[in-house]
PDB file of all heavy atoms in Angstrom:
ATOM      1  N   GLU R 274     104.596  36.406 -64.433  1.00  0.00           N
ATOM      2  CA  GLU R 274     105.566  35.576 -63.724  1.00  0.00           C
ATOM      3  C   GLU R 274     105.498  34.099 -64.078  1.00  0.00           C
ATOM      4  O   GLU R 274     106.331  33.336 -63.630  1.00  0.00           O
ATOM      5  CB  GLU R 274     105.377  35.695 -62.200  1.00  0.00           C
ATOM      6  CG  GLU R 274     105.739  37.044 -61.619  1.00  0.00           C
ATOM      7  CD  GLU R 274     104.518  37.921 -61.396  1.00  0.00           C
ATOM      8  OE1 GLU R 274     103.528  37.766 -62.143  1.00  0.00           O
ATOM      9  OE2 GLU R 274     104.562  38.763 -60.493  1.00  0.00           O
ATOM     10  N   GLY R 275     104.465  33.671 -64.833  1.00  0.00           N
ATOM     11  CA  GLY R 275     104.339  32.224 -64.962  1.00  0.00           C
ATOM     12  C   GLY R 275     103.795  31.720 -66.274  1.00  0.00           C
ATOM     13  O   GLY R 275     103.174  32.453 -67.045  1.00  0.00           O
ATOM     14  N   VAL R 276     104.041  30.423 -66.529  1.00  0.00           N
ATOM     15  CA  VAL R 276     103.454  29.755 -67.687  1.00  0.00           C
ATOM     16  C   VAL R 276     102.645  28.527 -67.261  1.00  0.00           C
ATOM     17  O   VAL R 276     101.981  27.906 -68.089  1.00  0.00           O
ATOM     18  CB  VAL R 276     104.529  29.319 -68.707  1.00  0.00           C
ATOM     19  CG1 VAL R 276     105.221  30.528 -69.302  1.00  0.00           C
ATOM     20  CG2 VAL R 276     105.548  28.374 -68.075  1.00  0.00           C
ATOM     21  N   SER R 277     102.714  28.176 -65.988  1.00  0.00           N
ATOM     22  CA  SER R 277     101.957  27.026 -65.510  1.00  0.00           C
ATOM     23  C   SER R 277     101.760  27.158 -64.001  1.00  0.00           C
ATOM     24  O   SER R 277     102.638  27.655 -63.304  1.00  0.00           O
ATOM     25  CB  SER R 277     102.724  25.742 -65.837  1.00  0.00           C
ATOM     26  OG  SER R 277     102.252  24.668 -65.054  1.00  0.00           O
ATOM     27  N   ILE R 278     100.590  26.764 -63.545  1.00  0.00           N
ATOM     28  CA  ILE R 278     100.272  26.902 -62.117  1.00  0.00           C
ATOM     29  C   ILE R 278      99.797  25.566 -61.563  1.00  0.00           C
ATOM     30  O   ILE R 278      99.018  24.858 -62.215  1.00  0.00           O
ATOM     31  CB  ILE R 278      99.147  27.944 -61.893  1.00  0.00           C
ATOM     32  CG1 ILE R 278      99.534  29.314 -62.448  1.00  0.00           C
ATOM     33  CG2 ILE R 278      98.820  28.077 -60.410  1.00  0.00           C
ATOM     34  CD1 ILE R 278      98.406  30.336 -62.381  1.00  0.00           C
ATOM     35  N   TRP R 279     100.271  25.206 -60.376  1.00  0.00           N
ATOM     36  CA  TRP R 279      99.693  24.104 -59.608  1.00  0.00           C
ATOM     37  C   TRP R 279      99.079  24.700 -58.351  1.00  0.00           C
ATOM     38  O   TRP R 279      99.690  25.590 -57.738  1.00  0.00           O
ATOM     39  CB  TRP R 279     100.778  23.133 -59.125  1.00  0.00           C
ATOM     40  CG  TRP R 279     101.430  22.299 -60.169  1.00  0.00           C
ATOM     41  CD1 TRP R 279     101.019  22.057 -61.444  1.00  0.00           C
ATOM     42  CD2 TRP R 279     102.658  21.563 -59.997  1.00  0.00           C
ATOM     43  NE1 TRP R 279     101.909  21.226 -62.086  1.00  0.00           N
ATOM     44  CE2 TRP R 279     102.920  20.906 -61.219  1.00  0.00           C
ATOM     45  CE3 TRP R 279     103.547  21.377 -58.943  1.00  0.00           C
ATOM     46  CZ2 TRP R 279     104.038  20.095 -61.408  1.00  0.00           C
ATOM     47  CZ3 TRP R 279     104.652  20.574 -59.126  1.00  0.00           C
ATOM     48  CH2 TRP R 279     104.901  19.935 -60.350  1.00  0.00           C
ATOM     49  N   VAL R 280      97.924  24.202 -57.957  1.00  0.00           N
ATOM     50  CA  VAL R 280      97.406  24.567 -56.636  1.00  0.00           C
ATOM     51  C   VAL R 280      97.084  23.292 -55.881  1.00  0.00           C
ATOM     52  O   VAL R 280      96.658  22.298 -56.466  1.00  0.00           O
ATOM     53  CB  VAL R 280      96.129  25.422 -56.728  1.00  0.00           C
ATOM     54  CG1 VAL R 280      96.434  26.826 -57.218  1.00  0.00           C
ATOM     55  CG2 VAL R 280      95.074  24.779 -57.603  1.00  0.00           C
ATOM     56  N   VAL R 281      97.314  23.309 -54.592  1.00  0.00           N
ATOM     57  CA  VAL R 281      96.949  22.166 -53.764  1.00  0.00           C
ATOM     58  C   VAL R 281      96.452  22.699 -52.428  1.00  0.00           C
ATOM     59  O   VAL R 281      97.010  23.657 -51.889  1.00  0.00           O
ATOM     60  CB  VAL R 281      98.135  21.188 -53.592  1.00  0.00           C
ATOM     61  CG1 VAL R 281      99.327  21.884 -52.965  1.00  0.00           C
ATOM     62  CG2 VAL R 281      97.739  19.988 -52.759  1.00  0.00           C
ATOM     63  N   GLU R 282      95.364  22.103 -51.963  1.00  0.00           N
ATOM     64  CA  GLU R 282      94.828  22.566 -50.689  1.00  0.00           C
ATOM     65  C   GLU R 282      95.867  22.270 -49.611  1.00  0.00           C
ATOM     66  O   GLU R 282      96.415  21.163 -49.534  1.00  0.00           O
ATOM     67  CB  GLU R 282      93.502  21.851 -50.402  1.00  0.00           C
ATOM     68  CG  GLU R 282      92.566  22.736 -49.619  1.00  0.00           C
ATOM     69  CD  GLU R 282      91.242  22.070 -49.318  1.00  0.00           C
ATOM     70  OE1 GLU R 282      90.681  21.417 -50.215  1.00  0.00           O
ATOM     71  OE2 GLU R 282      90.782  22.225 -48.174  1.00  0.00           O
ATOM     72  N   SER R 283      96.129  23.270 -48.789  1.00  0.00           N
ATOM     73  CA  SER R 283      97.227  23.175 -47.819  1.00  0.00           C
ATOM     74  C   SER R 283      97.113  21.944 -46.926  1.00  0.00           C
ATOM     75  O   SER R 283      98.113  21.329 -46.563  1.00  0.00           O
ATOM     76  CB  SER R 283      97.268  24.426 -46.949  1.00  0.00           C
ATOM     77  OG  SER R 283      97.258  25.567 -47.752  1.00  0.00           O
ATOM     78  N   LYS R 284      95.872  21.551 -46.605  1.00  0.00           N
ATOM     79  CA  LYS R 284      95.703  20.437 -45.667  1.00  0.00           C
ATOM     80  C   LYS R 284      96.163  19.109 -46.269  1.00  0.00           C
ATOM     81  O   LYS R 284      96.365  18.143 -45.555  1.00  0.00           O
ATOM     82  CB  LYS R 284      94.254  20.346 -45.196  1.00  0.00           C
ATOM     83  CG  LYS R 284      93.281  19.901 -46.261  1.00  0.00           C
ATOM     84  CD  LYS R 284      91.896  19.668 -45.660  1.00  0.00           C
ATOM     85  CE  LYS R 284      90.972  19.103 -46.728  1.00  0.00           C
ATOM     86  NZ  LYS R 284      89.566  19.317 -46.449  1.00  0.00           N
ATOM     87  N   HIS R 285      96.331  19.064 -47.600  1.00  0.00           N
ATOM     88  CA  HIS R 285      96.772  17.822 -48.228  1.00  0.00           C
ATOM     89  C   HIS R 285      98.288  17.666 -48.253  1.00  0.00           C
ATOM     90  O   HIS R 285      98.804  16.676 -48.764  1.00  0.00           O
ATOM     91  CB  HIS R 285      96.229  17.718 -49.659  1.00  0.00           C
ATOM     92  CG  HIS R 285      94.745  17.599 -49.716  1.00  0.00           C
ATOM     93  ND1 HIS R 285      94.046  16.725 -48.925  1.00  0.00           N
ATOM     94  CD2 HIS R 285      93.815  18.268 -50.434  1.00  0.00           C
ATOM     95  CE1 HIS R 285      92.752  16.849 -49.164  1.00  0.00           C
ATOM     96  NE2 HIS R 285      92.585  17.788 -50.069  1.00  0.00           N
ATOM     97  N   ILE R 286      98.997  18.675 -47.755  1.00  0.00           N
ATOM     98  CA  ILE R 286     100.456  18.568 -47.729  1.00  0.00           C
ATOM     99  C   ILE R 286     100.895  17.904 -46.426  1.00  0.00           C
ATOM    100  O   ILE R 286     100.453  18.285 -45.353  1.00  0.00           O
ATOM    101  CB  ILE R 286     101.108  19.955 -47.866  1.00  0.00           C
ATOM    102  CG1 ILE R 286     100.879  20.474 -49.289  1.00  0.00           C
ATOM    103  CG2 ILE R 286     102.605  19.902 -47.538  1.00  0.00           C
ATOM    104  CD1 ILE R 286     101.503  21.798 -49.569  1.00  0.00           C
ATOM    105  N   THR R 287     101.701  16.877 -46.561  1.00  0.00           N
ATOM    106  CA  THR R 287     102.269  16.247 -45.378  1.00  0.00           C
ATOM    107  C   THR R 287     103.691  16.764 -45.237  1.00  0.00           C
ATOM    108  O   THR R 287     104.473  16.670 -46.172  1.00  0.00           O
ATOM    109  CB  THR R 287     102.295  14.718 -45.536  1.00  0.00           C
ATOM    110  OG1 THR R 287     101.012  14.301 -45.970  1.00  0.00           O
ATOM    111  CG2 THR R 287     102.663  14.055 -44.227  1.00  0.00           C
ATOM    112  N   ALA R 288     103.990  17.322 -44.078  1.00  0.00           N
ATOM    113  CA  ALA R 288     105.311  17.918 -43.901  1.00  0.00           C
ATOM    114  C   ALA R 288     106.104  17.152 -42.854  1.00  0.00           C
ATOM    115  O   ALA R 288     105.530  16.582 -41.920  1.00  0.00           O
ATOM    116  CB  ALA R 288     105.163  19.376 -43.472  1.00  0.00           C
TER     117      ALA R 288
END
Side-chain angles (χ1 to χ4, degrees):
Chain R
E274 291 99 331
V276 295
S277 162
I278 302 174
W279 290 344
V280 288
V281 59
E282 212 180 317
S283 309
K284 70 173 185 202
H285 294 313
I286 290 182
T287 311

